[in-house]
Amino acid sequence: MAANGEEQQSQAGRHQEVGHKSLLQSDALYQYILETSVYPREPECMKELRELTAKHPWNIMTTSADEGQFLNMLLKLINAKNTMEIGVYTGYSLLATALAIPEDGKILAMDINRENYELGLPVIEKAGVAHKIEFKEGPALPVLDLMIEDGKNHGTYDFIFVDADKDNYINYHKRLIELVKVGGLIGYDNTLWNGSVVAPPDAPMRKYVRYYRDFVLELNKALAADPRIEICMLPVGDGITLCRRIK
């Protein structure tokens, strides 16, 4: 009985700090999802990239395996072909997308760090999907502005995934709503931001969590009020909000 109490106390302490990666009540429940549903169906190339990324010092930035599985199925359900990704890191979500879209599908992938992308590129090449990816190094906003200036890009994207600088999410949305087609989807990652969106101001948080928290709250409020989209916020990974353009 005492041992059980100590275990519960340890578990409570483990999740006390806002910033814990899992949004579920326990690590055991999350592990159950991974081992029962995700890992047995994870393509070998995605497993290889996930394990490679786990050794990187910034591995907290990667898309979780359950979210990668979700994105892969979602893209197939909507028959996405022309896609965009802002924020690539080592390319786990990028690989999930590339595997889901057809052989002639395209992904415009943007990130400020080519080195991280090239870390995962050999795995993507071995998977035979690198030809679907156009990678652009640098800030995404100037690229998006140029695309909007060229009217032929308006409403041409089936799916856009954003997992980048949270302080620019609002700026991305202002532009991406012009580029996604009516009926297409934009997915904003980290919209529950380690659970900090419901935390009191004096709650213990990691510095980066506290810094970006207000930007995430601002985005969530703006998306909920945007009449051009339908939204669905899901507690997958660190929270993902899907926005379907309706006009």
Side-chain angles (χ1 to χ4, degrees), residues 21-59:
K21 182 70 175 175
S22 174
L23 294 170
L24 295 176
Q25 293 180 354
S26 72
D27 286 341
L29 185 57
Y30 183 55
Q31 199 65 29
Y32 174 81
I33 293 173
L34 293 176
E35 293 179 359
T36 304
S37 167
V38 180
Y39 292 159
R41 293 300 190 98
E42 184 179 35
E44 189 60 35
C45 56
M46 291 189 66
K47 177 184 178 182
E48 182 180 352
L49 183 51
R50 173 171 57 81
E51 292 177 345
L52 182 153
T53 303
K55 300 173 184 176
H56 193 273
W58 301 342
N59 59 49

Side-chain angles (χ1 to χ4, degrees), residues 100-112:
I101 62 177
E103 187 65 19
D104 59 345
K106 299 295 180 185
I107 313 166
L108 172 59
M110 293 179 275
D111 199 290
I112 59 172

Side-chain angles (χ1 to χ4, degrees), residues 5 28 154:
H154 287 217

